[in-house]
């Protein structure tokens, strides 16, 4: 960690390392040396230069493995059976770190089954963070290449040294945060479990992995222990860190160490934090105003309990999906509001889903620039590339269309109301992990729709961003322009 | 009409007339002469240069006048009373050519009241067509000015001669189509009304105005006479022409006269027609597949009736809003589908609403260009300006946000389900004119939300397009660019 620093001034400082845009320092220097030696691993090398395909391959293999393991007899207690659709759905749900659960995670799975879930979530989380980071590096290669008109051999190549460097950072940061969460959780869980240290160790590990990776599976029937701050607070903090994403975490760590003021943070950090803060504040206000007197949610509860629910409701729905029990009790407008929040999701290159906070913020910035008559899209005294804005537009339009089609299909397949279908679609796409009952074991069609939505939600936005940043072939023909009336 | 031609080749042919982009010919030459004389009307001149403000002023004055007239005793039969909120809502509904009706238009209004509705719809329709045309001209001025770096005095000035020329075209085309519809409707209505020619004349006039202006009010309880093709077909044709918009109508008329093949049509015409065709085909397919066996809609009806309903359902919901009776009987998924169709709406500078077919098509084209790795946004061998694409993005994002807020507010204000709230919001925003019961006389809060949504739906997209095309002040400071990770 000591050598990992985040280089936020891409435009001001140039570096000979291809990955210098968001990592810099000598942590990768050793790995880069290895590239100098003549390498024999051509297959690996070929896959590395195509992070998009590598990502899809990684997840496909893991889905097959996890489904197989969950269908094995040791995963399920003798009195329960696991159908193929249940196993597949649970595997996809765990690997995408979505966390929608159609069976009771405590009673339906044995310790072995729960361990499969744990490892799946961990592999899914590490995988997506690594690949998203690699794709971000590749995008940066592409953008620099487009700006400098490099030769074809220099276009968009990701070196093996980079993959090792990124993997090192991802593993270090992830395990460090998970370890801190584990340690912070243990005393609280020991108290909740009345001194059963063996159970507390297992639950601490389970919660630590689930919270940082933003998958909402719980190890026992008690759910999130929302009444015990010793358990709830570390989980909430860890889940929150998980939704920020690496560029933000690294930038914050670096600026903290260098005692730099917030105005020296990178533009990406500023936009992500500002967007996250506004969304959480809006969620908190919404929940307090609209749900304050919900009789299904608060049967004569005191102000303290209501505030706790509101805080969980403000932080959790964005991606973590813990504490499932009370979600179906919220009012219809709140379901719609939560759908929108889940659709926006968390930070880029994090385990959270959705179109990402930055994507949404850039759409708003494009609108602001248009209305105020500015040609430049500015934020915090920095200009945002037109290409980034176009990527944000494409991601948002495509994902909106996807969620719309998914909701309509769910309505047709299960007869659910629009509110519930939209909620479960957004939850699957945004990897929220909640469900209001559309995902049911006895409706394989709905499960299939949701599983596809989850996979697209996991891989879609970053794949779109990558495909858009591809080195563009020069236009063979440039057509004359013609005006079209809009609006 | 003889002299009005549509100049579709803006980029290839230049003209000294400011309005040459979409009209050319000598019809305006006489009006232009008047500009040479020293003009005393400085107030008029000042308003003309600001079509955005002029539009808002025009509609505000008409809303006040129409509300007052509808509240006068002669408008309502002695046994009925008209509350202020009903009068205001009906006035807004008529002037925006939306056509949502909260009272029975036949029994609640006298002949005088119906005449107020008729004139309001006509004034609203003519007004929006004229202003949208003027705004389109102003946008073109701005875009040309931005391209050529003209001096400040030449920026975005609309001459009085132009307003007269545009008004002439709008009046000529509108009254011509309305007259044709009137003549075509009379025999059918005479048959339906069993030879009552006085009633048939009034109903022909009413339907002729309502159909071309896409307002869905009906003069009698029988609705659209969907079982009589002699009535239904002219109404459907006229409503369809009304949704296309002037650039398309004029371009088609001109190309038809010059015997030019479809590939010589303007890009705007091609995109509008192609988009409209696809949307109508999709609607037809949806209705036939999803609603074929709806027991609430078709009680043992024969194939012929089902096909007729499907055709009406395919053409009408886009903006016209006739034949209200069967809408609340459709299934929930169909309501959601119709909401999306109404949100997209009709053609630009037409009486239809929505974000417009061209706006939606450009969003899809932006996505296609991004995915296929093209920097240019091309369609039909022509390139679309980045500024037009940015306008489309801003219009779509803003309007989506508006409909989302409006739906949520309706849910909170009336306790409606999301499907119904979304349907009525989209109907108000897209000026569809249908309602599934959220707009009720006894809920003034819901009426107010819908009225505001209608007004924004009427004026919003074209105002956004205009404000975005404004001559941009040069950026005082150009900030350094910095990359943001999206997706
Ligand atoms: K989750
Ligand atoms: K209408």
């Amino acid at each position: 960690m000591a050598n990992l620093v985040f280089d936020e001034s891409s435009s001001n400082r140039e570096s000979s390392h291809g990955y210098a845009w968001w990592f810099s320092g000598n942590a990768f220097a050793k790995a880069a040396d290895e590239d100098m030696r003549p390498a024999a691993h051509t297959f690996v090398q070929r896959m590395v230069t195509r992070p998009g395909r590598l990502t899809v391959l990684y997840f496909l293999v893991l889905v097959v493995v996890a489904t197989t393991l969950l269908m094995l007899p040791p995963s399920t207690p003798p009195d329960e059976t696991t159908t193929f659709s249940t196993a597949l759905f649970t595997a996809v749900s765990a690997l995408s770190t979505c966390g929608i659960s159609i069976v009771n995670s405590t009673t339906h799975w044995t310790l072995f089954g729960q361990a499969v879930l744990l490892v799946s979530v961990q592999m899914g989380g590490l995988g997506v963070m690594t690949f998203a980071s690699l794709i971000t590096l590749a995008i940066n290669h592409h953008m620099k290449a487009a700006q400098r008109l490099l030769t074809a051999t220099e276009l968009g190549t990701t070196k093996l040294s980079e993959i090792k460097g990124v993997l090192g950072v991802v593993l270090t940061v992830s395990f460090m945060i998970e370890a801190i969460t584990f340690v912070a959780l243990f005393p609280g869980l020991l108290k909740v479990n009345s001194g059963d240290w063996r159970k507390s160790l297992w639950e601490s590990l389970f919660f630590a992995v689930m919270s940082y990776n933003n998958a909402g599976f719980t190890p026992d029937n008690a759910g999130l222990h929302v009444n015990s701050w010793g358990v709830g607070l570390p989980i909430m903090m860890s889940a929150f860190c998980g939704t920020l994403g690496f560029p933000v975490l690294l930038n914050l760590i670096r600026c903290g160490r260098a005692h730099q003021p917030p105005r020296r943070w990178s533009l990406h950090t500023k936009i992500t934090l500002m967007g996250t803060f506004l969304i959480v504040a809006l969620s908190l206000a919404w929940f307090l105003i609209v749900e304050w007197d919900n009789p299904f949610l608060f049967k004569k509860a005191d102000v303290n309990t209501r505030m706790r629910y509101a805080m969980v409701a403000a932080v959790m729905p964005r991606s973590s999906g813990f504490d499932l029990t009370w979600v179906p009790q919220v009012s219809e407008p709140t379901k719609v509001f939560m759908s929108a929040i889940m659709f926006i999701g968390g930070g880029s290159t994090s385990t959270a889903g959705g179109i990402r906070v930055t994507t949404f913020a850039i759409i708003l910035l494009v609108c602001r620039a248009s209305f105020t008559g500015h040609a430049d899209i500015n934020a915090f005294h920095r200009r945002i590339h037109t290409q980034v804005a176009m990527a944000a537009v494409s991601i948002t339009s495509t994902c909106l269309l996807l969620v719309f089609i998914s909701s309509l299909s769910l309505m047709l397949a299960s007869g659910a109301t629009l509110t519930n279908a939209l909620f479960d679609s957004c939850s699957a796409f945004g990897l929220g992990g909640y469900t209001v009952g559309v995902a049911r074991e006895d409706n394989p069609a709905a499960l299939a729709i949701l599983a596809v939505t989850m996979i697209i939600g996991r891989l879609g936005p970053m794949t779109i961003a990558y495909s858009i940043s591809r080195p563009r072939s020069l236009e063979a023909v440039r057509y004359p322009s013609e005006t079209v009336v809009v609006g």
Side-chain angles (χ1 to χ4, degrees), chain A residues 196-249:
Chain A
D196 184 346
W197 64 267
R198 197 191 287 256
K199 191 178 171 201
S200 301
L201 274 181
W202 171 244
E203 291 196 350
S204 298
L205 179 68
F206 202 89
F207 270 130
V209 171
M210 291 302 159
S211 60
Y212 177 66
N213 290 296
N214 277 287
F217 295 108
T218 44
D220 66 3
N221 273 327
L224 187 55
H225 306 286
V226 73
N227 295 318
S228 161
W229 276 132
V231 181
L233 218 55
I235 289 179
M236 237 155 82
M237 294 298 294
S238 170
F240 186 77
C241 286
T243 61
L244 289 178
F246 274 94
V248 176
L249 288 178

Side-chain angles (χ1 to χ4, degrees), chain A residues 11 96 144 225 238 286 433:
Chain A
S11 55
S96 65
K144 280 199 176 152
H225 306 286
S238 170
W286 175 281

